[in-house]
Amino acid sequence: MKISKPLTMTRICSYLVVLVLGFAGVAGAHETGVKHEEPSVATPAVSNAKERIRAKYSTDLTAAREAKEAYRALKRTESAQKQLAAVKTYGRKMFEVRQKVLADYPNRQRGKQCADADNQTINTSVAASQTILRSALANLDAATEVAAAKLIVKSAIEQTRVFAVFAPAANGLCRSSRLTAQIDLRLTKAINVLKVAGEQVESLTGHLTQARTEAMAAHNIYQELVAAPNYPDTAPAKAKFAQAKSHLDRAKDQLTAFKNALSALKQTLDAKSKLPPRNEKTEVVP
């Protein structure tokens, strides 16, 4: 007497299908850049991650917006001295909220499962932006003219682009890094098991290779944006975010095709093993 059991290969295929469903979600959760850096500007294309960041620092962003509105209210009627004080107040608050975001990033990334090299890229960018903002604050405090003070604030924001470029790019960098690592460490390993067992895996390997290529292309764009977030005009950065999104969309498409091919292979293996339906008792073979 012996009891027929599912083939190990079918269980591997089921496991892979579950994994791919999760990875497709990661590939689809891309980040997008926004054109405006000012916290007072509403942007419908803001990603969920960006919304969470802005929500976390909403009090500081509101204070910066109110300081700017206060300056605008008196710049035509009050003395240059009062205007200068208002610009400095606005600039300090703009710098302060960005320093808070940057100071939090090394801690936040620990839970993102970033590769060590990507964490280093993020930390290096954080340090550079912190230096720029500290220097700008010192220059702002020493400024004696309204025009000079406004230029200092504008320049520091453009050089760091914490909200418009750095933050969404850092999140995208970790997501694409994690996706690539999972493809390398889990999916590819399981495919090799199927290959050793004599299964035809050429189409599976092709989809997986293309998915990895697209994920790495997105990763490289995010890496570039994190390393150099200085954009006087954010339009080029926005275009790069769109390119990264396209790469992740194509990676998701390849993972979906990979999942469909796996499902087809599983059905073939099930048929070969003559498995009974799941809602029936296991057949006992004399």
Side-chain angles (χ1 to χ4, degrees):
M1 303 278 295
K2 67 177 180 179
I3 298 177
S4 62
K5 298 180 180 180
L7 290 176
T8 301
M9 293 300 102
T10 65
R11 291 200 293 269
I12 290 175
C13 287
S14 297
Y15 168 71
L16 284 169
V17 169
V18 173
L19 285 181
V20 173
L21 288 174
F23 298 159
V26 173
H30 47 259
E31 307 293 340
T32 58
V34 296
K35 182 175 181 180
H36 299 290
E37 181 75 1
E38 297 296 341
S40 59
V41 179
T43 308
V46 175
S47 66
N48 288 335
K50 181 180 288 296
E51 289 174 352
R52 288 194 297 271
I53 292 172
R54 288 186 178 272
K56 180 176 180 180
Y57 302 97
S58 60
T59 301
D60 301 282
L61 289 171
T62 298
R65 183 181 67 247
E66 291 175 347
K68 184 173 184 178
E69 290 173 352
Y71 161 69
R72 287 175 171 173
L74 58 77
K75 70 177 182 178
R76 292 185 178 180
T77 60
E78 297 294 340
S79 66
Q81 184 177 3
K82 287 186 176 181
Q83 291 183 40
L84 178 61
V87 171
K88 288 186 176 183
T89 298
Y90 163 66
R92 291 188 192 102
K93 292 185 181 297
M94 293 289 280
F95 296 164
E96 180 181 348
V97 66
R98 284 157 178 76
Q99 287 284 28
K100 285 186 177 180
V101 174
L102 294 170
D104 283 348
Y105 244 87
N107 294 327
R108 291 179 60 229
Q109 294 314 110
R110 292 173 185 169
K112 298 288 187 180
Q113 299 180 6
C114 274
D116 290 342
D118 294 328
N119 274 326
Q120 183 60 48
T121 298
I122 290 171
N123 292 339
T124 299
S125 181
V126 165
S129 292
Q130 287 174 327
T131 298
I132 290 171
L133 291 171
R134 282 194 298 267
S135 177
L137 179 59
N139 292 335
L140 181 64
D141 289 339
T144 58
E145 296 181 359
V146 173
K150 289 172 63 177
L151 183 59
I152 290 168
V153 175
K154 180 176 182 293
S155 178
I157 291 174
E158 291 178 350
Q159 288 182 68
T160 56
R161 291 297 185 192
V162 173
F163 290 101
V165 178
F166 170 78
N171 289 329
L173 181 64
C174 287
R175 289 183 185 277
S176 56
S177 175
R178 185 165 69 252
L179 175 61
T180 302
Q182 295 287 13
I183 289 174
D184 290 343
L185 298 177
R186 300 177 73 179
L187 293 180
T188 299
K189 182 177 180 180
I191 287 299
N192 288 337
V193 173
L194 291 172
K195 186 174 182 180
V196 170
E199 301 300 332
Q200 299 298 316
V201 296
E202 287 79 7
S203 64
L204 295 176
T205 302
H207 291 309
L208 204 58
T209 299
Q210 190 59 38
R212 188 187 188 285
T213 298
E214 297 292 352
M216 278 302 302
H219 173 274
N220 293 340
I221 292 173
Y222 288 131
Q223 186 178 52
E224 177 186 348
L225 290 166
V226 169
N230 50 313
Y231 283 87
D233 178 5
T234 56
K238 188 175 181 179
K240 290 181 180 179
F241 277 114
Q243 291 173 4
K245 176 185 178 298
S246 295
H247 285 301
L248 287 182
D249 285 344
R250 288 194 289 271
K252 183 179 180 180
D253 291 342
Q254 289 297 324
L255 288 174
T256 298
F258 180 82
K259 177 185 73 67
N260 293 338
L262 272 175
S263 297
L265 176 59
K266 182 178 180 298
Q267 290 178 357
T268 300
L269 293 173
D270 283 344
K272 287 181 180 179
S273 63
K274 298 181 181 180
L275 289 173
R278 291 185 175 181
N279 60 352
E280 295 184 7
K281 295 182 178 179
T282 304
E283 177 184 359
V284 177
V285 181

